[in-house]
Amino acid sequence: MGLLSDPNRRKALTGLLTRLNTPICGMPVEWLVKAMQSRGLEVFTQSFSRKLPFPDENKERYMVRGTNVYGILRAPRAPRTEALVITAPCSPGNTNNQAVALLLALAQYFRNQIYWAKDIIFLVNEHDLIGTQAWLEGYHHTNITGMEYSPLQGRAGSIQAALSLELSSDVITSLDLVLEGLNGQLPNLDLANLFYAFCQKLGVLCTIQGKLQRNDWDTAEGYTHAAQTMMLMVLKQACGRSWGDHGLFLRYHIEAASVRGINSFRHYKTDATTIGRLLEGMVRKLNNLLERLHQSYFFYLLPSLSRFVSIGYYMPAFGLLAVILLLRALDLWVHLGAPALAAVDGVTEPSSPGVLTVLTPVVISHLTGVALYLLPVHLQEMAVEHFPVSETEAVVLTAIAIYTAGLALPHNTQRLLSGEGTEQGWKVLKLTALLYLAVLLGCTALINFSLGFILAVTLVPITASITPHMPKALYAVVMVLLSPAFTILYCVFIYQELIEAPVSVSEGWMLFLSVISQGILDHALYGSLVYPLLALFIYPCWLMFWNILFWN
Amino acid sequence: MAAHRCGLSLVCILIFSSLAHPSSCDTLEKANDNTAEKRSISEVNTDGSVAGEALNERQWQSTDAEVDRSDSTTHSEALTPAAARDEFQEELVIRPLHSGDIYASFQFRTLWDTDFLQEGQKVSHYRLFPKSLGQVLSKFSVRELHISFTQGFWRTMQWGQPFIPSPPGAELWVWFHDTVSDVDGNWKELTNVLSGIFCASLNFIDLTNTVQPSASFKPLGLGNATDHRFLRYATLPREIVCTENLTPWKKLLPCGSKAGLAVLMKSEKLFHSSFHSQAVHIRPICQDEQCSSKAWELRQTLNVVFDLHTSGQGKKEWSLFKMFSRTLTEACPLASSSKVYVDITDNPEGELFELSPATPLLGQAVVLGDRRTYSVYDLSRAETFGQLRSFNLLLRWKGDSGDMLRPLLHAERYVAGFGLQTGEIHTVIYNNHPYRAFPVLLMDSVPWYLQLYIHTLTVTSKSRDNKPSYIHYQPAKDRHRPHLLEMLIQLPPHSMTEVTVQFERALLKWTEYTPDPNHDLTSIVPVKEESSYFVRVYTEPLLVNLPTPDFSMPYNVICLTCTVVAVGYGSFYNLLTRTFQVDEPSPPLSKRLANLIRRMRGVPLLT
């Protein structure tokens, strides 16, 4: 591994770094094309444009127009069948310039080597995730999200793995590995192991969730530390967004991770050369793969980089929660069977409630869900006209308004059609709702365990125990406090607490609003499924239980 | 300049001689179908002297050799018996590429005026022609044989068109003689024998990857029988080419790697390159201009592209020593002609690169539609080697390497979509000519485990539907034969034509997966483009992910379930279904006798 060991190359890299440190407006497309061409790559560009459904206030963008530049290093030993991707987002300002410089230095070094068996694509993407999304859709000739992009001119076969680089300074204290991808997908655990092995080898501090690993596993502090790291991972995975450029690759069955350089106040610093050697090692290992990464786990939780919790350990926890719902449903089923005997004794009760009794609340709840899903984005113009708010605020506030209105709307709706609610009526409704929730949570946990687990923890106890005969006011408060929206709010506070940046209530509220707008944006831009899941299924299901509480 | 002109007149002669030559006309027979329109254009462009007959590189080289032969035969006739004359020519063409890389193409040509396939004549005396191949040809009644082994992929965008295109991996296509009754049997045996000769895994060629193209491959040699029942074509994209394939290939040469151009073939250098392709082409040609009798031509070619960047030095400089770590000291003594050509078309005044030693000899030829100029070094002359008795060609770049080329025709291919169920194969063919349309014959062979939906086949150019004028589609049979699709498409000028077809991935039986199943399975298409000068373009092979089970899991599951079934369920079942009875003592003899009688009578038995 001779990368940058000779003084000439190091000098060249330093030159690049200083060059890039000068402020540049936007992405220097032409310069990048020339730089890549002079390093002997086949260079192509892709332009894309995307109009966001409403302005993104966090990143201050609405009409996005950009260009991706990518250079392909053709492997001498293979016929363009497989490729590896190294990507560095190039954002306006100079927050990620060091990564682009390192990318170019790696390209130059890699180009002079003969051992490549897979083509290597060096991608510099503009507007971070939107650029990556445009490039991936162009590469695979799909269009999932209505992005406008120019077709790609050069390809390199099926992509086997991808690494995303984010460095904001030329020296770093530690490297952070980011694994959580879109919809909670994770790359193969071997990729994380590879990173960890090379960090150990080169003596680079490595973290996950920004937390260093502790050696004292048996002590209470060590245990708490690991538990906190894992909880952070659960929260990040549950929110279903892509936490780095790598997250979008996972949809295409490409193992990918982001490597993020962190520069804190520690004394021990690592320079770009070491990071280059680390990446060189990782890419060479991936280059030598004969098969896709498949030997190890795809479903795991990491309490630290060197330990993992496999699906076999965490799934039973969820299973125990879900079985409550099923047992409760079984109980109701038995109870519903019993009145047939009571009817013989002459109790005047209709033998079975009409279909309408159950169907009406189900349909109305779901219509509310559809409204929650569709209206915020579509009504933003009207809202902006009538209220003194920005588009983003309009969308978020409309969503909250519809959510709240839903609480008032559906209860007792069945009376409009079938008169007084009967004892059997709510039991049938609850049976339906319990089974529905069990199926929903089960499916969610299979795809995104963390999301399923968090929802199960908050929803299962109250939904399993709810009946119309409870003290209404008290239980109404409890139910609202355990509704999906409040779950999001708690998650925001817990997350801030875990990353050691606690917030006040008002700041938390603002964060909560931005989380909602991000969720809606992630759905529109990248096809994240958390928002539609919550709006179209979980919330209506919760409304059905709300309906039971206010039966008769 | 005088030399330049001299070279030009030489070309005219060459080409006229080639026109008179039936075998080369035969070769171009198919190309002639659509030369008519092109002819007028090329006449305008090249002041009529080329007579509009476009020749590809190898034709030119062969005609050049033809002339050489005419003056060499005078003394070779005296040496060899007239009954079966044979001769051997070697040449090396070096073309500096725009990207700063360098392309070296060796060609070794053995001609033998004999006919293996004649009835009642057994050929047993071999001189220059390799005996191993000769025996194979006569045993399996092979009329033409083309085999190539390639590592890497030809980068048309950077390097332009190759002299002889070849797909990555191994490619084999054979025309059998029309007397063969069991073509498939012969093909099977032939591939096994060839796999032994070339140390390659050609024995993996079977019916599932063999096709019989109806229009894409015509015989290149004598004879125009085109019944495609006698044609077999197969590619092995996964074949890895290595030194062990090169050594047997070198052994087929008359001088081995002891003398002549073949001394340059050091495998550590040849495989330290970005493209390596070695091929053997055997075809029958005419012995003389009247074509009264047949001769056999064996062409062994080796194409290699050396990469500027991986060569390790910053200087843009190439020499024979730097490329091959050898220099030339002599020609092969058995060769009737031994020459080195350097393409200097883009460098008439020496502004791009400098060549040393300089040579007064220049040659010209029309290669793939444009006229190229070559510096010629004749190794059979002593003065080529100079004072040091060694010939080391040196090529020093002056200018900067150019941008990417825009080749007239190029093609790419990819799989669109994601997920493991369906997908879409896209083949994109670019025609960059500003005003000419090209007819293109596209051949696509897809393994059976990709189930093509042929009703989704679309051909669009310039966002309009482009109806192919000829379609031949042979659907696959599971586990027996692949899909074969051939189409004749007209490419409009300056356009991009996209051919798409959807497919579904088949579920394989668990024994049918390859040893590395998570490495995807491959399919390849040769796209063949046809114009007045007949270019063949191969696209990249595709890797398609098939739904693959976790192979360690079934093993665990099988072990576990077998144990559970055997131990747990088995004993439970045994306990539950067994009826426990008190073993009664056997009944006395009288009772058994009575029962026997009762059974015969059909009366209920005594208990």
Side-chain angles (χ1 to χ4, degrees), chain B residues 49-84:
Chain B
S49 64
V50 192
E53 184 59 75
L55 296 169
N56 77 24
E57 167 69 9
R58 293 299 152 169
Q59 249 87 51
W60 163 66
Q61 282 170 5
S62 64
T63 51
D64 182 31
E66 231 80 67
V67 173
D68 286 339
R69 187 172 64 164
S70 61
D71 46 58
S72 67
T73 37
T74 45
H75 47 88
S76 68
E77 252 176 340
L79 295 172
T80 53

Short mmCIF file of all heavy atoms in Angstrom, two decimals, chain B residues 49-84:
data_model
loop_
_atom_site.label_atom_id
_atom_site.label_comp_id
_atom_site.label_asym_id
_atom_site.label_seq_id
_atom_site.Cartn_x
_atom_site.Cartn_y
_atom_site.Cartn_z
N SER B 49 -9.27 6.81 -56.84
CA SER B 49 -8.18 5.87 -57.05
C SER B 49 -8.41 4.56 -56.30
O SER B 49 -7.88 3.53 -56.68
CB SER B 49 -6.87 6.48 -56.63
OG SER B 49 -6.91 6.74 -55.26
N VAL B 50 -9.17 4.65 -55.26
CA VAL B 50 -9.40 3.43 -54.49
C VAL B 50 -10.51 2.61 -55.13
O VAL B 50 -10.77 1.49 -54.74
CB VAL B 50 -9.75 3.81 -53.04
CG1 VAL B 50 -9.72 2.60 -52.15
CG2 VAL B 50 -8.78 4.83 -52.53
N ALA B 51 -11.11 3.18 -56.12
CA ALA B 51 -12.14 2.47 -56.88
C ALA B 51 -13.31 2.05 -56.00
O ALA B 51 -14.04 1.14 -56.32
CB ALA B 51 -11.56 1.25 -57.60
N GLY B 52 -13.44 2.71 -54.93
CA GLY B 52 -14.64 2.52 -54.11
C GLY B 52 -14.74 1.18 -53.43
O GLY B 52 -15.67 0.92 -52.71
N GLU B 53 -13.76 0.36 -53.65
CA GLU B 53 -13.85 -0.95 -53.01
C GLU B 53 -13.24 -0.85 -51.62
O GLU B 53 -12.03 -0.73 -51.48
CB GLU B 53 -13.11 -1.98 -53.86
CG GLU B 53 -13.22 -3.39 -53.36
CD GLU B 53 -14.66 -3.86 -53.29
OE1 GLU B 53 -15.23 -4.14 -54.33
OE2 GLU B 53 -15.19 -3.94 -52.18
N ALA B 54 -14.09 -0.82 -50.66
CA ALA B 54 -13.56 -0.68 -49.31
C ALA B 54 -13.10 -2.03 -48.80
O ALA B 54 -13.76 -3.03 -48.97
CB ALA B 54 -14.64 -0.12 -48.41
N LEU B 55 -11.95 -2.01 -48.22
CA LEU B 55 -11.41 -3.26 -47.72
C LEU B 55 -11.16 -3.11 -46.25
O LEU B 55 -10.82 -2.04 -45.78
CB LEU B 55 -10.06 -3.54 -48.39
CG LEU B 55 -10.10 -3.76 -49.88
CD1 LEU B 55 -8.71 -3.75 -50.42
CD2 LEU B 55 -10.79 -5.06 -50.17
N ASN B 56 -11.32 -4.16 -45.55
CA ASN B 56 -10.93 -4.00 -44.16
C ASN B 56 -9.46 -4.31 -44.01
O ASN B 56 -8.78 -4.76 -44.92
CB ASN B 56 -11.85 -4.80 -43.23
CG ASN B 56 -11.56 -6.27 -43.22
OD1 ASN B 56 -10.45 -6.67 -43.53
ND2 ASN B 56 -12.54 -7.05 -42.87
N GLU B 57 -8.97 -4.02 -42.85
CA GLU B 57 -7.54 -4.06 -42.62
C GLU B 57 -6.91 -5.37 -43.03
O GLU B 57 -5.89 -5.43 -43.70
CB GLU B 57 -7.30 -3.82 -41.13
CG GLU B 57 -5.92 -4.13 -40.62
CD GLU B 57 -4.90 -3.16 -41.16
OE1 GLU B 57 -5.29 -2.17 -41.78
OE2 GLU B 57 -3.72 -3.41 -40.97
N ARG B 58 -7.55 -6.43 -42.63
CA ARG B 58 -6.91 -7.71 -42.86
C ARG B 58 -6.90 -8.06 -44.33
O ARG B 58 -6.02 -8.73 -44.80
CB ARG B 58 -7.60 -8.79 -42.03
CG ARG B 58 -7.37 -8.57 -40.57
CD ARG B 58 -5.90 -8.63 -40.25
NE ARG B 58 -5.61 -7.82 -39.08
CZ ARG B 58 -4.47 -7.83 -38.44
NH1 ARG B 58 -3.46 -8.58 -38.85
NH2 ARG B 58 -4.28 -7.08 -37.39
N GLN B 59 -7.90 -7.61 -45.04
CA GLN B 59 -7.86 -7.82 -46.47
C GLN B 59 -6.64 -7.13 -47.06
O GLN B 59 -5.94 -7.64 -47.89
CB GLN B 59 -9.11 -7.24 -47.15
CG GLN B 59 -10.00 -8.31 -47.66
CD GLN B 59 -10.93 -8.75 -46.59
OE1 GLN B 59 -11.56 -7.89 -46.00
NE2 GLN B 59 -11.01 -10.01 -46.30
N TRP B 60 -6.45 -5.93 -46.58
CA TRP B 60 -5.32 -5.19 -47.11
C TRP B 60 -4.03 -5.91 -46.78
O TRP B 60 -3.18 -6.11 -47.62
CB TRP B 60 -5.28 -3.77 -46.54
CG TRP B 60 -3.95 -3.19 -46.76
CD1 TRP B 60 -3.38 -2.88 -47.95
CD2 TRP B 60 -2.97 -2.93 -45.78
NE1 TRP B 60 -2.13 -2.42 -47.78
CE2 TRP B 60 -1.84 -2.44 -46.44
CE3 TRP B 60 -2.94 -3.05 -44.39
CZ2 TRP B 60 -0.69 -2.08 -45.77
CZ3 TRP B 60 -1.80 -2.68 -43.74
CH2 TRP B 60 -0.69 -2.20 -44.42
N GLN B 61 -3.96 -6.34 -45.55
CA GLN B 61 -2.72 -7.00 -45.20
C GLN B 61 -2.54 -8.27 -45.98
O GLN B 61 -1.45 -8.62 -46.39
CB GLN B 61 -2.70 -7.28 -43.70
CG GLN B 61 -2.36 -6.02 -42.95
CD GLN B 61 -2.55 -6.17 -41.49
OE1 GLN B 61 -2.86 -7.25 -41.02
NE2 GLN B 61 -2.38 -5.09 -40.77
N SER B 62 -3.64 -8.92 -46.23
CA SER B 62 -3.49 -10.16 -46.98
C SER B 62 -3.10 -9.85 -48.41
O SER B 62 -2.27 -10.52 -48.99
CB SER B 62 -4.77 -10.98 -46.92
OG SER B 62 -5.80 -10.27 -47.55
N THR B 63 -3.66 -8.79 -48.97
CA THR B 63 -3.27 -8.47 -50.34
C THR B 63 -1.82 -8.03 -50.40
O THR B 63 -1.10 -8.37 -51.33
CB THR B 63 -4.16 -7.36 -50.91
OG1 THR B 63 -4.17 -6.30 -49.98
CG2 THR B 63 -5.54 -7.85 -51.18
N ASP B 64 -1.45 -7.31 -49.38
CA ASP B 64 -0.05 -6.92 -49.31
C ASP B 64 0.83 -8.16 -49.31
O ASP B 64 1.80 -8.27 -50.04
CB ASP B 64 0.17 -6.11 -48.02
CG ASP B 64 1.58 -5.62 -47.91
OD1 ASP B 64 2.18 -5.36 -48.96
OD2 ASP B 64 2.07 -5.51 -46.77
N ALA B 65 0.40 -9.10 -48.53
CA ALA B 65 1.15 -10.34 -48.47
C ALA B 65 1.13 -11.05 -49.81
O ALA B 65 2.09 -11.68 -50.20
CB ALA B 65 0.57 -11.23 -47.40
N GLU B 66 0.02 -10.91 -50.50
CA GLU B 66 -0.10 -11.53 -51.80
C GLU B 66 1.01 -11.04 -52.72
O GLU B 66 1.66 -11.81 -53.42
CB GLU B 66 -1.45 -11.15 -52.42
CG GLU B 66 -2.24 -12.32 -52.91
CD GLU B 66 -2.96 -13.00 -51.77
OE1 GLU B 66 -3.86 -12.40 -51.18
OE2 GLU B 66 -2.57 -14.14 -51.45
N VAL B 67 1.22 -9.74 -52.71
CA VAL B 67 2.26 -9.18 -53.56
C VAL B 67 3.61 -9.68 -53.12
O VAL B 67 4.45 -10.08 -53.91
CB VAL B 67 2.20 -7.64 -53.51
CG1 VAL B 67 3.37 -7.07 -54.26
CG2 VAL B 67 0.91 -7.17 -54.10
N ASP B 68 3.77 -9.70 -51.81
CA ASP B 68 5.04 -10.19 -51.29
C ASP B 68 5.29 -11.61 -51.76
O ASP B 68 6.39 -11.98 -52.11
CB ASP B 68 5.03 -10.17 -49.76
CG ASP B 68 5.16 -8.76 -49.25
OD1 ASP B 68 5.65 -7.93 -50.02
OD2 ASP B 68 4.75 -8.52 -48.10
N ARG B 69 4.20 -12.34 -51.76
CA ARG B 69 4.37 -13.72 -52.14
C ARG B 69 4.81 -13.82 -53.60
O ARG B 69 5.65 -14.61 -53.95
CB ARG B 69 3.06 -14.47 -51.93
CG ARG B 69 3.23 -15.95 -52.15
CD ARG B 69 2.01 -16.68 -51.75
NE ARG B 69 0.90 -16.28 -52.60
CZ ARG B 69 -0.24 -16.99 -52.67
NH1 ARG B 69 -0.38 -18.05 -51.94
NH2 ARG B 69 -1.21 -16.60 -53.44
N SER B 70 4.24 -12.94 -54.42
CA SER B 70 4.55 -13.05 -55.84
C SER B 70 6.05 -12.88 -56.09
O SER B 70 6.60 -13.48 -56.99
CB SER B 70 3.76 -12.01 -56.63
OG SER B 70 4.12 -10.72 -56.18
N ASP B 71 6.71 -12.07 -55.26
CA ASP B 71 8.14 -12.01 -55.50
C ASP B 71 8.93 -13.02 -54.67
O ASP B 71 10.06 -13.35 -54.99
CB ASP B 71 8.68 -10.58 -55.30
CG ASP B 71 8.18 -9.95 -54.05
OD1 ASP B 71 8.42 -10.54 -52.97
OD2 ASP B 71 7.53 -8.90 -54.12
N SER B 72 8.29 -13.51 -53.62
CA SER B 72 9.03 -14.48 -52.82
C SER B 72 8.89 -15.88 -53.38
O SER B 72 9.73 -16.73 -53.17
CB SER B 72 8.55 -14.46 -51.37
OG SER B 72 7.23 -14.93 -51.33
N THR B 73 7.80 -16.11 -54.10
CA THR B 73 7.60 -17.48 -54.62
C THR B 73 8.72 -17.88 -55.57
O THR B 73 9.04 -19.05 -55.67
CB THR B 73 6.27 -17.60 -55.38
OG1 THR B 73 6.06 -16.38 -56.08
CG2 THR B 73 5.14 -17.87 -54.42
N THR B 74 9.32 -16.89 -56.22
CA THR B 74 10.37 -17.22 -57.18
C THR B 74 11.45 -18.07 -56.54
O THR B 74 11.92 -19.03 -57.11
CB THR B 74 10.99 -15.95 -57.77
OG1 THR B 74 11.22 -15.07 -56.68
CG2 THR B 74 10.08 -15.33 -58.80
N HIS B 75 11.84 -17.70 -55.32
CA HIS B 75 12.87 -18.54 -54.70
C HIS B 75 12.29 -19.61 -53.80
O HIS B 75 12.90 -20.63 -53.61
CB HIS B 75 13.93 -17.72 -53.96
CG HIS B 75 13.37 -16.64 -53.08
ND1 HIS B 75 13.03 -16.86 -51.80
CD2 HIS B 75 13.11 -15.33 -53.33
CE1 HIS B 75 12.58 -15.75 -51.27
NE2 HIS B 75 12.62 -14.79 -52.18
N SER B 76 11.11 -19.41 -53.29
CA SER B 76 10.57 -20.47 -52.43
C SER B 76 10.17 -21.69 -53.25
O SER B 76 10.21 -22.81 -52.77
CB SER B 76 9.38 -19.96 -51.63
OG SER B 76 8.30 -19.71 -52.48
N GLU B 77 9.80 -21.46 -54.48
CA GLU B 77 9.44 -22.59 -55.34
C GLU B 77 10.62 -23.55 -55.52
O GLU B 77 10.46 -24.75 -55.59
CB GLU B 77 9.01 -22.07 -56.70
CG GLU B 77 7.52 -22.21 -56.92
CD GLU B 77 7.10 -21.59 -58.24
OE1 GLU B 77 7.84 -20.76 -58.79
OE2 GLU B 77 6.04 -21.96 -58.71
N ALA B 78 11.78 -22.94 -55.59
CA ALA B 78 12.96 -23.77 -55.79
C ALA B 78 13.23 -24.64 -54.56
O ALA B 78 13.77 -25.73 -54.66
CB ALA B 78 14.17 -22.90 -56.08
N LEU B 79 12.83 -24.13 -53.40
CA LEU B 79 13.18 -24.84 -52.18
C LEU B 79 12.20 -25.96 -51.85
O LEU B 79 12.58 -27.03 -51.43
CB LEU B 79 13.23 -23.85 -51.00
CG LEU B 79 14.32 -22.79 -51.11
CD1 LEU B 79 14.15 -21.77 -50.00
CD2 LEU B 79 15.70 -23.43 -51.02
N THR B 80 10.92 -25.67 -52.01
CA THR B 80 9.92 -26.64 -51.54
C THR B 80 9.33 -27.39 -52.72
O THR B 80 9.23 -26.86 -53.82
CB THR B 80 8.79 -25.92 -50.80
OG1 THR B 80 8.31 -24.88 -51.67
CG2 THR B 80 9.27 -25.32 -49.51
N PRO B 81 8.90 -28.59 -52.45
CA PRO B 81 8.28 -29.35 -53.54
C PRO B 81 7.00 -28.67 -53.98
O PRO B 81 6.26 -28.10 -53.17
CB PRO B 81 8.02 -30.72 -52.91
CG PRO B 81 8.06 -30.50 -51.44
CD PRO B 81 9.01 -29.37 -51.21
N ALA B 82 6.72 -28.74 -55.25
CA ALA B 82 5.59 -28.00 -55.80
C ALA B 82 4.25 -28.60 -55.36
O ALA B 82 3.23 -27.94 -55.40
CB ALA B 82 5.67 -27.98 -57.31
N ALA B 83 4.26 -29.85 -54.89
CA ALA B 83 3.00 -30.52 -54.58
C ALA B 83 2.24 -29.81 -53.48
O ALA B 83 1.05 -29.56 -53.60
CB ALA B 83 3.29 -31.96 -54.17
N ALA B 84 2.91 -29.46 -52.37
CA ALA B 84 2.21 -28.79 -51.28
C ALA B 84 3.08 -27.62 -50.81
O ALA B 84 3.82 -27.75 -49.85
CB ALA B 84 1.95 -29.77 -50.15
#
